[in-house]
């Protein structure tokens, strides 16, 4: 099978080197047992952390097996509950993990089946930019993005915070169109299925449903990435700077995003503080930040933008 894939899809994104995804029920049960024995105990503490070196940390890597039916979500939750009852995992790990499945997985599933087919056409922030070209090769100076894309290419995997707050956040700040970004997420992850990918990308990550899934956009500056990861110390940019040649691009893009969508977002109670901080800055400072972001966006190499609701044929997977 691997030979067949190499022959026909050798030029595609990703690699088969070190392929170790479960393809049988027995292997999937082995992965579940491995997760409970070795990683569950620290899942709660480190579930939002990002490492420059370690793609998996304490995550389960069980989504693909659940999505293709090798494991049932219920048996996974029950196995974790049993481990907690036996004292083999603390409550923050068991509760945190079960909540991902019982809460998020079922929640996005409900949204997809309730809101489709119209949901896929949503683009409330009118985001039109094409996908940044480096999403297909990872050749960028932005270390956090480089590592998230390299890990994705090597493992067909990135954990939730990498998807949401690194590749997703950057696309949100740059105004990448939902169709372009959804096609990328569908193409690159082993666990990708539209019913779970679409609400996560279009709704949670890009806020393209206008807040139906989440009550505020998950937009963040470099400060968030620096707090949650060790990427910034390996980066050519300075996460503390907002303007200038060495400034972390996430910083000016963050304010640019907020200013671009002021009319839509300013009334959101959860955004009030942040708009307050922006408005308190001197006019000249705000202008310098917006100029910095515009210059970055002008230089950004992107694929051609999609029209409304269009998806690239080659990456469509239903
Ligand atoms: C932009 C974006 C796209 C995504 N696309 C997919 C996708 O196509 N398929 C997919 O299965 N998940 C998707 N997710 C959700 C989540 O990132 C993955 O389920 C998770 O990273 C898979 O790794 P894991 O099995 O190690 O998860 P763990 O961190 O070990 O979490 C345990 C389980 O909880 C479930 N889960 C956790 N978060 C979510 C979530 N937000 N939505 C649904 N289920 C969740 C998964 O079944 C996962 O296996 C996406 C998230 C984002 C932000
Ligand atoms: S400095 Fe900015 S671009 Fe570099 S790793 Fe940190 S957040 Fe990413």
């Amino acid at each position: 099978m691997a030979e067949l894939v190499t022959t026909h899809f050798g030029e595609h994104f990703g690699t088969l080197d070190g392929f170790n995804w479960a393809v049988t029920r027995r292997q999937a049960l082995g992965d579940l047992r491995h997760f409970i024995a070795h990683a569950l105990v620290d899942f709660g503490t480190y579930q939002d952390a990002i490492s420059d070196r370690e793609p998996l940390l304490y995550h389960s890597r069980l989504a693909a097996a659940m999505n293709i039916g090798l494991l049932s979500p219920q048996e996974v939750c029950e196995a974790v509950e049993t481990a907690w009852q036996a004292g083999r995992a603390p409550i923050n790990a068991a509760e945190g993990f079960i909540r991902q499945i019982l809460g998020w997985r079922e929640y996005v599933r409900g949204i997809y089946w309730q809101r489709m087919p119209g949901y896929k056409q949503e683009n409330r922030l009118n985001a039109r930019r094409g996908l940044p070209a480096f999403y297909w090769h990872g050749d960028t100076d932005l270390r956090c993005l480089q590592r998230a894309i390299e890990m994705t290419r090597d493992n067909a995997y990135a954990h939730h915070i990498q998807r949401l707050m690194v590749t997703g956040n950057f696309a949100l700040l740059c105004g990448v169109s939902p169709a372009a970004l959804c096609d990328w997420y569908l193409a690159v992850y082993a666990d990708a299925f539209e019913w779970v990918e679409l609400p996560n990308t279009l709704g949670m990550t890009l806020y393209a449903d206008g807040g139906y899934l989440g009550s505020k956009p998950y937009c963040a500056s470099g400060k968030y990435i620096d707090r949650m990861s060790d990427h910034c110390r390996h980066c050519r940019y300075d996460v503390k700077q907002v303007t200038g040649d060495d400034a972390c691009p996430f910083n000016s893009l963050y304010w640019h995003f907020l200013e671009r969508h002021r009319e839509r977002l300013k009334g959101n109670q959860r955004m009030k503080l942040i708009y307050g901080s922006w408005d308190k800055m001197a006019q000249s400072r705000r202008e310098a930040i917006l100029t910095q972001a515009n210059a970055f966006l002008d230089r950004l190499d992107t694929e051609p933008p999609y029209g409304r609701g269009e998806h690239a044929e080659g990456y469509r997977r239903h």
Side-chain angles (χ1 to χ4, degrees):
M1 182 57 82
E3 273 174 32
L4 198 73
V5 173
T6 307
T7 307
H8 293 286
F9 305 104
E11 298 304 309
H12 283 225
F13 183 83
T15 170
L16 282 175
D17 297 346
F19 179 92
N20 62 354
W21 288 96
V23 293
T24 64
R25 163 102 177 135
R26 199 174 145 167
Q27 289 168 346
L29 283 170
D31 284 352
L32 173 59
R33 274 195 300 275
H34 180 88
F35 167 66
I36 289 177
H38 301 289
L40 173 63
V41 66
D42 285 313
F43 179 87
T45 308
Y46 296 108
Q47 61 179 314
D48 290 340
I50 311 176
S51 162
D52 199 69
R53 279 188 313 169
E54 292 297 324
L56 194 56
L57 294 170
Y58 300 94
H59 293 273
S60 70
R61 222 180 61 129
L62 293 174
M66 280 188 274
N67 293 352
I68 59 175
L70 292 178
L71 295 173
S72 86
Q74 183 165 346
E75 75 178 328
V76 172
C77 289
E78 283 171 0
V80 167
E81 186 191 357
T82 303
W84 167 66
Q85 280 173 342
R88 287 185 281 128
I91 186 67
N92 72 328
E95 188 275 334
F97 184 83
I98 290 171
R99 180 156 40 92
Q100 298 306 318
I101 295 176
L102 211 55
W104 279 108
R105 191 174 185 275
E106 293 306 316
Y107 178 51
V108 301
R109 185 174 144 87
I111 285 182
Y112 183 81
W113 291 112
Q114 194 191 16
R115 305 294 286 192
M116 279 295 277
Y119 198 73
K120 197 170 172 175
Q121 311 305 325
E122 293 271 28
N123 189 1
R124 303 276 180 101
L125 297 185
N126 196 25
R128 299 279 171 212
R129 197 176 296 276
L131 188 77
F134 68 73
Y135 274 48
W136 291 117
H137 48 70
D139 187 7
T140 170
D141 285 346
L142 286 89
R143 177 71 178 194
C144 50
L145 281 155
Q146 180 202 354
R147 292 302 292 135
I149 293 163
E150 286 172 349
M151 288 178 193
T152 298
R153 177 199 62 205
D154 295 347
N155 310 310
Y157 180 87
H159 65 71
H160 184 70
I161 299 299
Q162 287 174 303
R163 297 187 205 194
L164 180 65
M165 300 310 295
V166 180
T167 45
N169 180 30
F170 183 74
L172 170 73
L173 300 183
C174 293
V176 173
S177 87
L181 192 67
C182 285
D183 281 349
W184 184 77
Y185 278 109
L186 272 183
V188 301
Y189 291 117
D191 55 44
F193 279 89
E194 191 181 80
W195 66 264
V196 54
E197 173 277 329
L198 186 73
N200 269 297
T201 308
L202 184 150
M204 191 188 313
T205 303
L206 293 181
Y207 201 71
D209 61 2
Y212 183 79
L213 185 147
S215 56
K216 81 182 249 309
Y218 280 91
C219 54
S221 67
K223 198 172 171 186
Y224 173 90
I225 295 172
D226 192 29
R227 198 167 62 237
M228 305 313 284
S229 79
D230 58 347
H231 286 312
C232 302
R233 71 180 77 143
H234 302 284
C235 187
R236 96 132 187 87
Y237 293 108
D238 181 347
V239 71
K240 295 206 166 54
Q241 292 188 37
V242 185
T243 55
D245 288 348
D246 294 332
C248 166
F250 278 87
N251 293 337
S252 59
L253 288 172
Y254 173 69
W255 294 115
H256 191 271
F257 170 82
L258 290 173
E259 182 58 26
R260 246 175 25 239
H261 299 295
R262 172 186 277 278
E263 278 316 301
R264 178 175 282 278
L265 300 176
K266 71 176 183 209
N268 184 322
Q269 289 303 323
R270 297 187 63 200
M271 309 290 288
K272 283 237 149 86
L273 263 182
I274 203 69
Y275 276 108
S277 307
W278 176 236
D279 291 340
K280 268 189 227 141
M281 281 185 213
Q283 175 76 8
S284 56
R285 175 77 175 145
R286 278 185 284 164
E287 277 169 14
I289 292 173
L290 296 179
T291 302
Q292 172 94 11
N294 278 324
F296 179 86
L297 289 171
D298 285 346
R299 285 196 311 271
L300 189 63
D301 180 17
T302 56
E303 293 182 337
Y306 290 7
R308 193 172 180 83
E310 287 169 12
H311 287 251
E313 276 307 319
Y315 301 114
R316 199 179 268 176
R317 207 194 302 174
H318 293 290

